[in-house]
Amino acid sequence: MEPAARARGIIKTYGDVVALDGVDLDIGAGQVHGLVGPNGAGKTTLLGLLLGLATADTGTLEVLAPPVAGFVDGPGLYPTLTARQNLAALAALHREPTAGVDEALAEVGLTDVAGDRVRGFSLGMRQRLGLAAALLTRPRLLVLDEPANGLDPAGKRHVHRVIARLAADGVGVVLSSHRMDDLAELCSEVTLLCAGRVVFSGPVAKLAAEAGELGYGVLTSDEARAVAVASGTTGLRVAGTDPLVVRGPADALDDLVVRLVHAGVALRELAPVVSPLEAAFLALTGAEEAS
Amino acid sequence: MTTAYAPPEVAPAPLLPGLRFELVKLLSPWRVRLLLLACLVAPAAFVAVVSAQTSLPTDTVFGRWMHATGFAGSLVVLAFACSWGLPLLTSLVAGDVFAAEDRLGTWRHLLVAVRSPRRIFAAKALAALSVVVLLVVAIGLSSVLGGVLTVGAHPLVGLDGHTLGAGEAARTVLLAWLCVLPPTLALAAVGLLGSVVLGRSPMGLLLPAVLALTMNLVLLLPVPVPLRLALPSNAFLAWRGLFTEPAHTGPLLLGTAVSLFWAVLATALAYVLFLRRDFTDLAYDGAGRRAIAAAALPLAGLAGIGALAIGVLTPASGTGIEKAKVEASLATAYGHLYRLQAAQLHRPAVTEAQLAASADCDKGGTRVVDRGPGHDWRCVVSWHLPGTSAVGTAIYQLDVTAEGRYVADGDGPKEVNGNFWVRTPSGDAPNPLWQLDGYVDLLDD
Ligand SMILES: Nc1ncnc2c1ncn2[C@@H]1O[C@H](COP(=O)(O)OP(=O)(O)OP(=O)(O)O)[C@@H](O)[C@H]1O
Ligand SMILES: [Mg+2]
C-alpha cells in the first residue's frame, strides 16, 4: 500500500507536559486509520501536527499525499453564518469553485438545511458540516478528530459511508475516537496511544487478541445453583456473583454450559462483559487496574 | 533522526476572500445588523423629532438652530456621536473581531483555512475598520437627510455668528463628519488592540469606550493645551473650528495627525502581539499582564511625546483660553449676529465694519486672573450705532468650557440682547443676540 503520511519519533511537549513521546505512525493511502487512547493521550496533538497547526519538537513527519484537510477540537464553524456561507467562505479561501459547496453538502446529507444558520444545528449536524468543509479541498489525507462525536445511529452510518467511500477512492483517513465499536466497524488499522506513547499499532483483529482472558456474564434461571456449578468447573474462575461473571478459556466455558444444562439450570445469556476491543483498550492502557 | 518537522510552505489564502469572509462574519450577528439599522434610522428620526419640539437641546453646539435649518440637527447628532456614540460603536465592532474567534474556539480552523496569521490580521483589521467607517457614514447621511427633509436645507449660523449659505453649510457639515473619521479609526485600532490583548474578557470589548470616556473626562478639565491636543479624542471636538470664518483649522489638523498616529501605532502593536500568540492553545485567554503593559505603555508614550512636541512646536500653552481671545471671539460673533438681527427685525442693513464691535471681558471679578474656562466670565460689548456717533453697550455672561466653546447669555439691555421673539422665514425664533454660541481657538496666539 502507498503511504499517505509517515511519522517517526515525534516528540511534542507543552512546558512540562509531554503530549507525544516518540510516536511512530504510518497511514496508507486508501486506509482508515483509527487513533484511540484515554483522555489526554495525545490524539488531538498528533492530528494537529498532521494538519500543520503546530510543529513537533523533534522527529520527522511527512505528508506524502497532499493536500491534507480536516479538523481537530470540533468542526470550527461560525454559528451566525448559514451552512452554505460557512462552506462558501472556506471554498473561496482555498481558491476552490463554489460549485463544490453544494456537492459537499449533498455528500453529508445537509442539502435541506444549507440555508439555515449553524446556530440552530445539532452537534451531529455540525460534525457532518465539518466533514463537508474538509471535503471541499478534495484532500488525499483526511484528518478527523472525533468525527462521530454526537452523531445518532443514522448520522453515524451516513458519516461512515462517506469515509468508507473516500478510502475506497484512495484517500488516507486518520480519525480519533473514544468508541471502540466505531473503530472496529470503520478502521482497518488502529493505533492506541497512552500518555503520548504508542502502546499498540496494527490491524483491529490483532488488537482484539491483546485482550487476554475476557470476563463473561452468565444469566441463568437459577443464580445460586449456577454459581455453585461454575465454582465446580475446572479451569474457570468466578470473578463475581450477582450477576455471575466468569473468566477462563473457551473449552472451560463450553464445559460450564453443558454442566448447567445437566444440573437443570436454563442458560439465558452468555456474553463478554466488555467487548474484546474495549478489554484490550483497558488492558493496554492500564486503566483496568485503576478502576 | 531528530530534525524538527516544519509544515510545508503553503501559499496563504488570497486577501480578498479573506476580507469578504471577515465582513460576512462581522455583519452576520443580529446585534450588528440592528446596530447598522439603528445608525441608518435613529439619527434621522432624532433630528426630525427634536427639531419639531419647542425646547431645543441648547446645551449642545448648534442645538439652538435646529428649528432654523436641517444642518444644525446633523451637527447635534455629530456632537452626541463624538462624546459617546462612536466610542460605543467602535467597541461593539472593533472590540470583538479577534475576541469572537476566541469565544467560538475557531482560531485553529481559521489558521488552517487562511494559512497565514498575517493575512488573518490584515483581513480582520480591514473588515473592522470598514464596518466602523460604514457606520459613521450611515449616521452622518441619516442625520443630514433627516434634517434636510424635515426642516430644510436652510443657511446655518456658524460658531462666530456668520451665516453659511445652504451649499456651504452642506459642504462644511459633510467635512465635519469626515473629520471625525480619523479619531474614530484611532479608537477602532485601540479596540483591535484590546481584542488581541484581552481575548475573551469583557474588558477587551469595552476598551475603546472606556478609553474614550476617560479622555473625554480629561478634556472636560482645564488641562494644558499641549496635553489636550495630544489626545486623539480632541479631534472629536476640533471640527467646531470649521464653523468660523476664517476656519480654525489648527486644532483640527493637529487632532487628525494625532489620531492617525494613534491608529497606526495601536494597529501595529496589535499586529505584533497577534503574531506572537500560540494558536494551538485552546485555553488562551488574553496575552497576559506583560502584553497589556506592552500595549498600554507605547500609547501612553505617544500621548506624552505628542504633548511635548506640541508644546515645543506650537504657540500652545496654558489652558489656551485668554482674555484677548475671548474678547475678539465675542466681538466678532456679536457683529455677525447684530447684522442678522437687523435683517430679521427689518431694520436698515448694517455691516460688521460699520458696527466695529469690541468687547471687554473680565473673569470672576478683579481678584481672579482673566484666563481659563469657567462660567464666571462677564463681558461688555460696545459698538457704533449705525447712523449716529453714539456707542451702544450690551452685557453678556459667558460660560466658557475647557474645549474653547462658550455660551454667551445676554444680560441687557433688554431690547438688544433680551429674550424676545423675532419673525424669520422658517418661523418665530428667539432673538439671535439673546443667547449665542462661540468658539475660542485654543491654539491661537
Ligand atoms: N496547547 C496546549 N498547551 C498545553 N498543553 C497542551 C496543549 N495541547 C495539549 N496539551 C496537553 O497535551 C496532552 C495531550 O492532549 P491532547 O489534546 O492531544 O489529548 P487527546 O488525546 O486529544 O485527549 P481527549 O481524548 O481528551 O481529546 C494533554 O495532557 C494536554 O493537557
Ligand atoms: Mg482530543
Side-chain angles (χ1 to χ4, degrees), chain A residues 53 59 61 73-74 78 80 94, chain B residues 3 5 28 101 108-109 115:
Chain A
L53 286 172
L61 194 152
D73 286 319
Y78 294 92
T80 53
H94 286 290
Chain B
T3 40
Y5 162 77
S28 65
E101 309 280 351
R108 291 176 169 203
H109 308 87
R115 309 181 288 285

Side-chain angles (χ1 to χ4, degrees), chain B residues 295-375:
Chain B
L297 289 180
L299 289 177
L302 180 61
I305 292 170
L308 274 180
I310 293 169
V312 171
L313 298 176
T314 70
S317 65
T319 61
I321 292 165
E322 307 287 338
K323 176 176 151 83
K325 288 201 228 175
V326 176
E327 288 174 345
S329 166
L330 181 64
T332 308
Y334 187 85
H336 288 311
L337 290 171
Y338 190 97
R339 203 178 143 181
L340 179 70
Q341 187 202 46
Q344 287 175 342
L345 296 176
H346 305 291
R347 294 199 181 135
V350 288
T351 65
E352 289 83 353
Q354 288 169 335
L355 290 168
S358 64
D360 182 24
C361 295
D362 172 74
K363 182 175 187 288
T366 46
R367 289 201 212 149
V368 179
V369 190
D370 295 339
R371 61 159 57 110
H375 52 74

